[in-house]
Amino acid sequence: MRLRSALCTTASALSALALLSACGSGSGTASSNSAPLIGVDYPRSDTDFWNSYIKYTPEFAKKLGLSLKTTNSQNDVAKLTANAQTFISQGVKGMAMAPQDTAAIAPTLAQLQAKKIPVVTVDTRPDTGKVFMVVRADNRAYGEKACQFLGTKLRGKGKVVMLEGGLDSINGRDRTQAFNDCMKKDYPGIKVFGEATNWDGAVAAQKLQTDLTANPDIKGVYMQSSFALPGTLQLLKQKHLLVDPKDDKHVFVVSNDGIPEELRSIAAGKIDATVSQPADLYAKYALYYLKAAIDGKTFKPGKTDHDSTIIQVRDGLLEDQLSAPLVTADGGTYGGVPSVKSDDKSLWGNNLG
């Protein structure tokens, strides 16, 4: 089944001006006076991934003919709640957000629903409550891909550290559970040291240092996000473990995000793989679905026309699971998981200006 608009089946996702004209929505122009006003809350601006998302958002808003207000909640659900109140007072017609605490956001979602303001959540899915669409990748697949890569490289034996994100986030839970489940099922000879970090790079570095000191035979690290990349590389260098992948001392490192620094590090042999989380498509389709919600469109589970699948998570909640490929130096297949080369031009991390 192809993704179709209930109001205008021939409109392209990014043809905002044509959509306004052909579907009779608005005056047919995207002037500052006629463009629907939306609010986008950025969850943080202290990582390369989210700074890339911040860069892409106004670009796609302009292409879709949307007027944009933005805030930054700095990984604080109280600030996100306050920012939502600001958007309500400014008269936004829709809101995109990426709540990092996916349980505590429920009252804010209920208030926005009562105000008939559609919400799209990006990267994270609320534990309860309804939104128009969730735009994220399959985060369980992140953990499974990391597991298959490390399991293959370690030939099913040894010790690995998993630097978990935040378990108050659906993303942290999905990646952690999937990695553990995969290791238990497919690589029972590998011991996993799970370390909660709350997406904090300093905490991740400290816990990794403790694990490496107590277990100098650790041969793998799974970072659930690039937040841990600088500290991990620095620590491996200090311990003389930042060596060529063919060296017996090499510690295999898998990350998640697909930022340019990860891709360069793979090419240089400093880390070995990542899962490319699509910062560009997060921005593109978050705004696309907000525009669709404002226009009164609806969607159903099934394949889309942009290489993804919409699933029904629970009653009244749909999620568009965007593609997020495993990235390696050789583009090989690991444990049945195909990968793309780190220099592949289709990766958003290779296309930043």
Side-chain angles (χ1 to χ4, degrees):
M1 181 181 70
R2 305 282 284 177
L3 185 152
R4 288 289 184 265
S5 161
L7 296 182
C8 182
T9 58
T10 60
S12 165
L14 292 181
S15 298
L17 298 182
L19 179 63
L20 289 167
S21 176
C23 298
S25 175
S27 63
T29 65
S31 70
S32 59
N33 292 329
S34 63
L37 178 64
I38 63 163
V40 176
D41 181 81
Y42 302 135
R44 56 198 302 172
S45 55
D46 59 348
T47 70
D48 288 345
F49 176 82
W50 284 113
N51 283 332
S52 298
Y53 172 78
I54 289 170
K55 171 186 175 291
Y56 284 120
T57 297
E59 296 178 9
F60 285 114
K62 183 176 180 181
K63 289 179 180 179
L64 283 163
L66 297 169
S67 182
L68 185 64
K69 294 280 188 181
T70 64
T71 55
N72 191 319
S73 53
Q74 300 174 339
N75 206 24
D76 185 330
V77 71
K79 290 182 179 179
L80 175 53
T81 297
N83 293 342
Q85 300 299 323
T86 298
F87 286 146
I88 291 172
S89 68
Q90 292 172 335
V92 299
K93 302 300 183 184
M95 179 177 176
M97 63 171 73
Q100 302 300 286
D101 187 330
T102 52
I105 195 60
T108 300
L109 294 178
Q111 183 179 19
L112 289 163
Q113 184 180 13
K115 297 283 187 180
K116 299 187 186 317
I117 297 174
V119 174
V120 171
T121 63
V122 180
D123 180 54
T124 62
R125 178 205 309 148
D127 294 355
T128 60
K130 293 184 178 181
V131 298
F132 182 77
M133 184 69 73
V134 177
V135 175
R136 68 195 286 257
D138 181 352
N139 277 246
R140 284 194 60 87
Y142 289 12
E144 291 166 358
K145 291 174 181 179
C147 163
Q148 294 296 344
F149 181 85
L150 288 175
T152 300
K153 286 294 186 180
L154 272 60
R155 296 182 174 87
K157 298 180 180 180
K159 300 175 181 178
V160 302
V161 178
M162 173 167 53
L163 298 174
E164 302 165 355
L167 298 184
D168 59 350
S169 161
I170 185 65
N171 289 354
R173 296 195 298 272
D174 275 357
R175 297 175 199 185
T176 297
Q177 292 168 2
F179 186 83
N180 283 332
D181 290 348
C182 170
M183 281 294 180
K184 290 176 182 177
K185 176 178 179 291
D186 294 340
Y187 306 102
I190 294 179
K191 180 175 177 56
V192 178
F193 297 93
E195 301 290 2
T197 69
N198 198 33
W199 309 110
D200 187 311
V203 173
Q206 183 270 318
K207 291 191 173 183
L208 179 59
Q209 182 173 25
T210 299
D211 286 333
L212 285 171
T213 300
N215 300 272
D217 55 343
I218 283 171
K219 298 301 292 181
V221 178
Y222 170 37
M223 307 181 299
Q224 290 190 1
S225 168
S226 58
F227 75 93
L229 180 64
T232 296
L233 291 179
Q234 182 179 17
L235 183 58
L236 292 177
K237 184 177 182 180
Q238 288 173 354
K239 291 185 173 293
H240 306 291
L241 298 173
L242 196 62
V243 295
D244 187 88
K246 295 180 181 179
D247 192 307
D248 289 341
K249 292 183 179 179
H250 183 76
V251 176
F252 292 96
V253 179
V254 182
S255 187
N256 284 163
D257 274 346
I259 63 172
E261 184 60 30
E262 287 176 334
L263 303 183
R264 290 191 291 266
S265 293
I266 293 172
K270 294 180 179 179
I271 71 171
D272 303 273
T274 189
V275 177
S276 181
Q277 185 169 220
D280 54 343
L281 299 185
Y282 279 4
K284 175 179 179 178
Y285 287 103
L287 300 185
Y288 165 73
Y289 283 116
L290 273 187
K291 180 69 166 57
I294 293 168
D295 289 344
K297 301 176 185 177
T298 59
F299 299 91
K300 296 179 180 179
K303 295 291 185 180
T304 73
D305 56 5
H306 50 270
D307 191 30
S308 68
T309 302
I310 295 177
I311 65 169
Q312 182 167 318
V313 178
R314 56 180 180 264
D315 185 37
L317 187 66
L318 297 177
E319 176 174 305
D320 188 354
Q321 295 191 328
L322 302 177
S323 176
L326 178 68
V327 181
T328 63
D330 62 2
T333 297
Y334 296 88
V337 178
S339 69
V340 300
K341 289 185 177 182
S342 59
D343 60 357
D344 194 301
K345 295 303 181 183
S346 68
L347 299 170
W348 68 268
N350 287 324
N351 294 302
L352 289 176

